[in-house]
Amino acid sequence: MKNLSLLIKPASSSCNMRCRYCFYYDVADNRDIISYGIMDKKTTDLLIEQAFEYIDNKGVISFAFQGGEPTLAGLDYFTYFTRKVDKVNKANLRINYSIQTNGLLIDDDFCKLFKKYNFLVGISQDGPREIHDVNRLDSTLGPSYDMTDRAIKTMTKYGVDFNILSVVTKQMAKKPKTLFNYYLKRNIKYVQLIPCLSPLLESSNILEDSFQEGPVTPSNNRYQLSPRDYGSFLTDFFDLWYEAFMDGNYISVRMFDNLVNMLKGRSPEQCGMLGSCNLQCIVEADGSIYPCDFYVLDKFKMGNIYTDELTDICKPSRAKTFLDYEESKHPLCKTCKVYPICRGGCKRYRSFYSKEVGYCPYQGFLYKSFDKLQNIARIVN
């Protein structure tokens, strides 16, 4: 039985916000074509039809939507997409839907559709107003917290399943207790934390043969995270999480959950946590397929559904350039005691982990938290 997961960018890199640290704007800015516009019905039809052909009507298909900002494709796009899937899904196979959104366009009508099709919604919110509004600006460069808060309240009203994705920036790293208490107060039960990363041109050799020319302009250090700050944040936030867990107040933090599972001998579900790449299928609005959301770059394009079938495109051989590309692991990996549950980490993170000589933020966090992680692994099933 074949399963298929597609991460679709229906509005390409288009967005109605101007977040200071946006990683996908950085990626798109390093392509020949920055934005492919809105995915049209012809491309949508072809993608859905090929998805069902790929699994040969015997598996599960997961359609995830991301951006840019995917809701810019409009409610009509998602209504058309889900109805098309219903029409093609003659064998009544299991279909999973999810979307990552900034929430600005989420209203009652979107929530009714999300509820009907059991969408899991990830909403990007960097905690309370005083942290969120520093870097997550709307298209007028104004604050956006109230709009994300409205989206959360609307989803709650309709019973839509959602989680919160927060980007750990310089500002957030100094306030782990503020952030954790915010989640507790708002009764947020599912959280994902990701570090704010340097732009590709600063952090990688991946663009050394790209069309970019000229000197690298250092990123704005107003939000830039340092390894020490990140290591300290993870340690302090984990301690708060552990204390709450032991008191019977569990919040699902994706990284911590995966670490516990790994200590129980299970494989992590989060990409990159085993130090090697699993092939993804990222679908841009023009039907082009790429192997990883961090690297939707021209040199890694695997094909296009107009010229190839998904069954041919989504093969490791099509991603050879990407899979062969490596970022150097941290020198500390050679003697690291927790290497078996890290293995160097996601290659997009490695230059950040190695930024400070003699220090790795992930190692620093794990060394201090390992006994507590093991204790939880003994407790949970």
Side-chain angles (χ1 to χ4, degrees):
M1 182 175 72
K2 275 188 178 181
N3 295 329
L4 176 65
S5 295
L6 297 173
L7 194 159
I8 304 164
K9 294 183 177 292
S12 191
S13 62
S14 300
C15 191
N16 52 354
M17 288 184 65
R18 297 295 180 267
C19 301
R20 300 183 192 277
Y21 51 61
C22 178
F23 90 88
Y24 201 68
Y25 180 81
D26 174 44
V27 169
D29 201 37
N30 286 287
R31 302 188 307 215
D32 287 325
I33 298 175
I34 292 176
S35 176
Y36 294 95
I38 304 299
M39 183 178 287
D40 59 26
K41 289 183 178 180
K42 183 179 179 182
T43 307
T44 301
D45 289 348
L46 187 59
L47 177 63
I48 293 170
E49 289 162 3
Q50 288 196 18
F52 278 89
E53 290 171 4
Y54 180 94
I55 65 168
D56 195 25
N57 289 319
K58 296 176 183 175
V60 177
I61 304 178
S62 297
F63 294 112
F65 301 92
Q66 199 161 305
E69 173 49 43
T71 60
L72 285 176
L75 179 64
D76 287 347
Y77 168 84
F78 291 96
T79 300
Y80 181 86
F81 192 103
T82 49
R83 287 177 178 172
K84 176 68 176 181
V85 170
D86 287 346
K87 184 177 180 180
V88 177
N89 189 15
K90 293 180 171 54
N92 198 28
L93 302 177
R94 178 181 167 187
I95 306 296
N96 297 325
Y97 289 108
S98 62
I99 186 171
Q100 184 66 42
T101 174
N102 59 37
L104 269 59
L105 298 179
I106 299 303
D107 58 11
D108 292 66
D109 290 334
F110 260 115
C111 286
K112 289 175 184 176
L113 182 138
F114 291 160
K115 184 63 178 178
K116 178 180 178 180
Y117 287 97
N118 296 314
F119 270 69
L120 173 62
V121 179
I123 185 160
S124 300
Q125 186 188 66
D126 290 352
R129 184 191 310 275
E130 64 268 24
I131 300 176
H132 177 94
D133 280 341
V134 172
N135 295 304
R136 295 193 61 80
L137 309 177
D138 66 16
S139 59
T140 69
L141 302 184
S144 65
Y145 174 82
D146 286 338
M147 290 178 276
T148 62
D149 189 52
R150 181 189 64 215
I152 290 171
K153 289 176 180 176
T154 306
M155 289 189 293
T156 301
K157 180 175 73 171
Y158 283 94
V160 175
D161 290 331
F162 69 92
N163 57 48
I164 301 291
L165 185 148
S166 299
V167 178
V168 183
T169 59
K170 177 190 291 186
Q171 293 82 13
M172 186 185 291
K174 297 174 181 177
K175 298 183 176 182
K177 189 172 184 178
T178 299
L179 182 66
F180 191 79
N181 287 340
Y182 175 79
Y183 293 146
L184 283 178
K185 183 179 179 181
R186 300 296 302 274
N187 198 33
I188 302 299
K189 293 299 184 183
Y190 298 93
V191 174
Q192 183 177 178
L193 302 170
I194 59 174
C196 178
L197 299 173
S198 299
L200 285 169
L201 280 170
E202 290 182 43
S203 63
S204 169
N205 62 12
I206 195 65
L207 299 173
E208 60 188 11
D209 59 348
S210 76
F211 62 90
Q212 287 277 356
E213 296 181 356
V216 174
T217 301
S219 57
N220 186 344
N221 64 8
R222 182 176 181 179
Y223 59 81
Q224 202 65 54
L225 187 65
S226 74
R228 290 277 177 181
D229 284 346
Y230 185 53
S232 175
F233 170 84
L234 285 179
T235 302
D236 293 344
F237 192 89
F238 175 82
D239 285 344
L240 294 165
W241 179 81
Y242 179 82
E243 182 180 352
F245 175 87
M246 297 305 288
D247 286 342
N249 196 357
Y250 168 66
I251 296 177
S252 173
V253 178
R254 191 181 184 192
M255 176 193 292
F256 302 161
D257 289 349
N258 273 280
L259 286 169
V260 170
N261 278 330
M262 292 169 76
L263 289 174
K264 294 184 73 67
R266 302 167 184 162
S267 295
E269 54 75 32
Q270 187 171 353
C271 183
M273 288 197 74
L274 274 177
S276 59
C277 291
N278 294 318
L279 181 61
Q280 301 178 51
C281 287
I282 313 299
V283 188
E284 256 289 2
D286 69 332
S288 294
I289 309 291
Y290 301 83
C292 173
D293 196 31
F294 281 139
Y295 298 100
V296 185
L297 298 166
D298 297 334
K299 68 188 297 180
F300 295 137
K301 181 178 172 179
M302 297 160 61
N304 187 290
I305 58 174
Y306 280 101
T307 55
D308 303 279
E309 299 286 335
L310 272 179
T311 50
D312 293 324
I313 298 173
C314 296
K315 291 179 178 178
S317 59
R318 287 294 191 103
K320 188 177 188 303
T321 302
F322 171 73
L323 295 174
D324 287 348
Y325 163 72
E326 280 292 336
E327 287 284 350
S328 298
K329 295 182 180 181
H330 200 299
L332 293 176
C333 288
K334 295 176 182 178
T335 57
C336 183
K337 298 176 183 177
V338 292
Y339 182 79
I341 58 169
C342 171
R343 298 185 188 177
C346 170
K347 60 188 176 188
R348 181 63 176 90
Y349 291 1
R350 288 178 191 169
S351 60
F352 170 66
Y353 288 165
S354 303
K355 200 170 183 178
E356 185 175 332
V357 176
Y359 177 77
C360 170
Y362 202 55
Q363 183 193 71
F365 153 62
L366 286 174
Y367 274 20
K368 291 179 180 178
S369 307
F370 194 76
D371 289 345
K372 291 178 180 178
L373 282 165
Q374 282 189 312
N375 187 41
I376 293 178
R378 286 190 291 266
I379 294 172
V380 300
N381 294 325

